[in-house]
Amino acid sequence: MDRVPVLKLGDILIVSIQIDLQDQSVLALQEDLADKVVQTGARGVIIDITAVEIIDSFIGRMLSTIASITRLLDAETVVVGMRPAVAITLVELGLSLGGVRTALNLEKGVALLNHLDGARLAVAPR
Amino acid sequence: MDRVPVLKLGDILIVSIQIDLQDQSVLALQEDLADKVVQTGARGVIIDITAVEIIDSFIGRMLSTIASITRLLDAETVVVGMRPAVAITLVELGLSLGGVRTALNLEKGVALLNHLDGARLAVAPR
């Protein structure tokens, strides 16, 4: 049970991280997500970290990497459900989660993706 | 990290089970779900078991219990993402998941809940 499941809802993929991620499971998650974005044509990825109590530089880098990968595949990544203590620690450690968007919870994440998508469509050539 | 997070999207709660559930975490999940159904007025609960490789009588009973609890609180529970091997084992063991509705995946689970809700509204007294 060390593969994180990727759920699909409409054109959004949802990942809820509940296990302590190790090198292997992080690589598996990156691959699974990239595959699934291509397979489904998803326009957004939401990563829920409600259950994550500690974010170190390893997890921080993983989130940035996933955001970069999905962006290349034309999908935005939003991290949701960050605990206050995690946010404090991130700032204290100077970890910036470069390129990662965040939202308070799943609902706000979905709203953000819808908003971004609207913005993207608005500037698309006609 | 042994508490399963409960996500909310609209009036549906989503739970993705990824850890091997022990007695303690099952009780915690039942309480969390009941609390959250009441708190949010959710009308549906979706339990994703994509990551679950083995369902024994313990997990089967847990799913039935959660379905019964949420039904008393006016919310339907749908179990989604069951692996083929799990379905085969359940039938071979004679475990019936009494009172638990199932759907193939998250999207179909949401569709089922919408359908049920429509049906419930249709027979509601005016």
Side-chain angles (χ1 to χ4, degrees):
Chain A
M1 270 212 215
D2 51 0
R3 239 179 153 90
V4 181
V6 180
L7 303 177
K8 175 175 175 292
L9 190 62
D11 44 6
I12 293 176
L13 302 180
I14 302 173
V15 177
S16 171
I17 294 182
Q18 297 170 25
I19 54 174
D20 284 315
L21 290 168
Q22 307 300 327
D23 294 26
Q24 273 307 316
S25 38
V26 164
L27 288 180
L29 177 59
Q30 287 176 356
E31 272 175 37
D32 288 353
L33 263 177
D35 283 351
K36 200 121 183 195
V37 166
V38 171
Q39 200 184 80
T40 63
R43 68 184 165 82
V45 174
I46 294 186
I47 300 180
D48 174 77
I49 57 169
T50 314
V52 178
E53 280 165 6
I54 296 164
I55 291 201
D56 52 14
S57 58
F58 175 69
I59 306 258
R61 203 163 51 240
M62 173 203 76
L63 294 174
S64 294
T65 308
I66 287 180
S68 304
I69 293 173
T70 60
R71 192 167 298 125
L72 286 175
L73 300 172
D74 201 24
E76 279 295 328
T77 293
V78 181
V79 171
V80 305
M82 189 182 292
R83 298 176 179 220
V86 168
I88 292 169
T89 313
L90 278 177
V91 171
E92 281 177 356
L93 290 177
L95 297 173
S96 64
L97 294 192
V100 178
R101 288 170 193 272
T102 53
L104 195 60
N105 54 36
L106 180 59
E107 284 183 324
K108 297 201 170 158
V110 171
L112 174 60
L113 284 175
N114 285 334
H115 176 75
L116 289 175
D117 208 47
R120 190 162 61 181
L121 288 177
V123 296
R126 296 169 220 210
Chain B
M1 269 210 214
D2 52 1
R3 236 175 155 93
V4 181
V6 179
L7 304 177
K8 176 175 174 290
L9 190 63
D11 43 8
I12 293 176
L13 302 179
I14 302 172
V15 177
S16 170
I17 294 182
Q18 296 170 26
I19 55 175
D20 285 314
L21 291 168
Q22 306 300 326
D23 294 27
Q24 272 308 315
S25 38
V26 164
L27 287 180
L29 176 60
Q30 288 176 355
E31 272 176 37
D32 288 353
L33 263 177
D35 283 351
K36 201 122 182 194
V37 166
V38 171
Q39 201 183 81
T40 62
R43 67 182 166 84
V45 174
I46 294 185
I47 300 180
D48 174 76
I49 56 169
T50 314
V52 178
E53 280 163 8
I54 296 164
I55 290 201
D56 51 13
S57 58
F58 175 70
I59 307 256
R61 204 163 50 240
M62 172 204 77
L63 294 174
S64 294
T65 307
I66 287 179
S68 304
I69 293 172
T70 60
R71 193 167 298 126
L72 286 176
L73 300 171
D74 202 22
E76 280 294 327
T77 293
V78 181
V79 170
V80 305
M82 188 182 294
R83 297 177 181 219
V86 168
I88 293 169
T89 313
L90 277 178
V91 171
E92 281 177 354
L93 290 177
L95 296 174
S96 65
L97 294 191
V100 179
R101 288 168 193 273
T102 54
L104 194 60
N105 54 37
L106 179 60
E107 285 183 323
K108 296 202 170 158
V110 171
L112 174 60
L113 284 175
N114 286 333
H115 177 73
L116 289 175
D117 209 47
R120 191 163 58 182
L121 289 178
V123 296
R126 296 168 216 206

